[in-house]
Amino acid sequence: MYTQSFNVPDADAKAGNPLKSVPHDTALQAHFDAVVDADGKIEPRDWMPDAYRKTLVRQISQHAHSEIVGMLPEGNWISRAPSLKRKAILVAKVQDEGGHGLYLYSAAETLGTSRDQMFDALHSGKAKYSSIFNYPTLTWADVGVVGWLVDGAAIMNQIPLCRCSFGPYARAMIRVCKEESFHQRQGFESLMTMMQGTAEQKAMVQDAVNRWWWKCLAMFGPPDADSPNSVQGMRWGIKRISNDDLRQKFVDATVPQA
């Protein structure tokens, strides 16, 4: 889902640390390739190429950062939610997003990097998070659209990750996707309620959809022809569906057909 590049230095492995990458060996590489080609799972103590490990640290940590930063635009609306029911729903959703970040930081730590390293990379600008969370939530309708469209785009990106080649990441994503699917329904229900309200509420929803839909397309990354990370990720089984195919699926799901 999150594919900007950055370099996170591997932790200095202590003597006997099973997470330390062993020198390249043809037989080990062949076994790794065979597991990936068979849609098997690579576990933290298994041998893996250094590039595979670094790519996973980049991808998983950036995903975790995005879950944590993604709490902020919605968290700003907790005190301004229009009812106690909506406040309780939003509090629960924000808590879920925080939990997603913790699952993913834990998965990345199995690769030999520390949480402090991941935070340092984020704070120094080496690591990124999804840029969609830099946009403000201007109205209550934006909160619903974030649930429906932004979480919907995230789900399309993330469901294939439940079958990714790295075991801890795949297992974490199973729970994340179940909770994100519920968030999407919450957002949809909130917007449906507003669309049954006043003309002002309907206009608020339409304005929010107009502002966020195009931003959601950017969540699928650059065109595949311009993304070597996407091609390599699919070869390793870290990514299962191309950027272009995911983007088209989102368009098909959200644009009414003639």
Side-chain angles (χ1 to χ4, degrees):
M1 175 178 181
Y2 308 111
T3 55
Q4 292 99 322
S5 296
F6 69 91
N7 295 316
V8 176
D10 288 338
D12 292 332
K14 297 180 181 179
N17 185 348
L19 296 174
K20 182 178 180 180
S21 294
V22 301
H24 179 77
D25 181 273
T26 303
L28 291 172
Q29 180 70 54
H31 176 72
F32 171 85
D33 291 339
V35 172
V36 170
D37 291 342
D39 287 337
K41 291 289 183 284
I42 303 298
E43 299 297 339
R45 290 178 180 270
D46 295 340
W47 182 90
M48 63 187 74
D50 285 339
Y52 177 84
R53 184 188 301 276
K54 290 181 179 180
T55 297
L56 280 170
V57 170
R58 171 185 56 77
Q59 181 171 325
I60 300 173
S61 65
Q62 187 169 327
H63 191 165
H65 298 328
S66 298
E67 296 284 356
I68 299 299
V69 175
M71 299 163 60
L72 303 179
E74 294 174 303
N76 287 335
W77 276 93
I78 290 175
S79 63
R80 295 178 286 165
S83 69
L84 181 60
K85 172 186 173 181
R86 296 297 174 190
K87 187 188 297 289
I89 290 172
L90 190 56
V91 167
K93 184 174 189 287
V94 170
Q95 288 178 321
D96 283 351
E97 303 294 0
H100 298 171
L102 296 180
Y103 304 153
L104 294 167
Y105 284 132
S106 296
E109 286 175 320
T110 69
L111 291 160
T113 189
S114 70
R115 201 163 301 193
D116 285 342
Q117 284 180 297
M118 289 185 275
F119 290 159
D120 288 345
L122 175 65
H123 296 156
S124 68
K126 291 181 180 180
K128 307 296 181 183
Y129 56 85
S130 182
S131 61
I132 198 162
F133 299 120
N134 290 328
Y135 297 102
T137 45
L138 302 178
T139 69
W140 176 251
D142 286 48
V143 177
V145 170
V146 167
W148 177 45
L149 288 181
V150 176
D151 288 350
I155 290 166
M156 286 189 175
N157 270 317
Q158 293 173 1
I159 285 178
L161 294 175
C162 297
R163 299 182 292 108
C164 81
S165 61
F166 186 56
Y169 194 20
R171 291 187 287 272
M173 290 312 303
I174 292 173
R175 178 166 180 173
V176 169
C177 287
K178 287 180 179 179
E179 293 178 352
E180 291 288 6
S181 295
F182 193 65
H183 298 168
Q184 186 191 29
R185 294 303 302 172
Q186 290 173 333
F188 181 82
E189 188 273 336
S190 178
L191 295 178
M192 281 293 293
T193 299
M194 293 185 71
M195 289 301 292
Q196 296 168 15
T198 66
E200 182 181 7
Q201 288 174 311
K202 294 176 182 178
M204 190 183 299
V205 171
Q206 186 64 66
D207 173 67
V209 170
N210 291 346
R211 285 184 288 105
W212 285 95
W213 189 84
W214 291 100
K215 297 177 177 68
C216 288
L217 290 182
M219 293 178 66
F220 298 101
D224 292 315
D226 300 330
S227 179
N229 287 335
S230 179
V231 174
Q232 183 61 69
M234 293 186 69
R235 169 66 188 87
W236 278 332
I238 297 173
K239 185 177 179 66
R240 291 291 184 177
I241 303 178
S242 71
N243 294 347
D244 293 340
D245 288 343
L246 287 168
R247 190 180 299 105
Q248 187 59 52
K249 285 181 64 177
F250 179 78
V251 171
D252 293 342
T254 57
V255 177
Q257 301 300 310

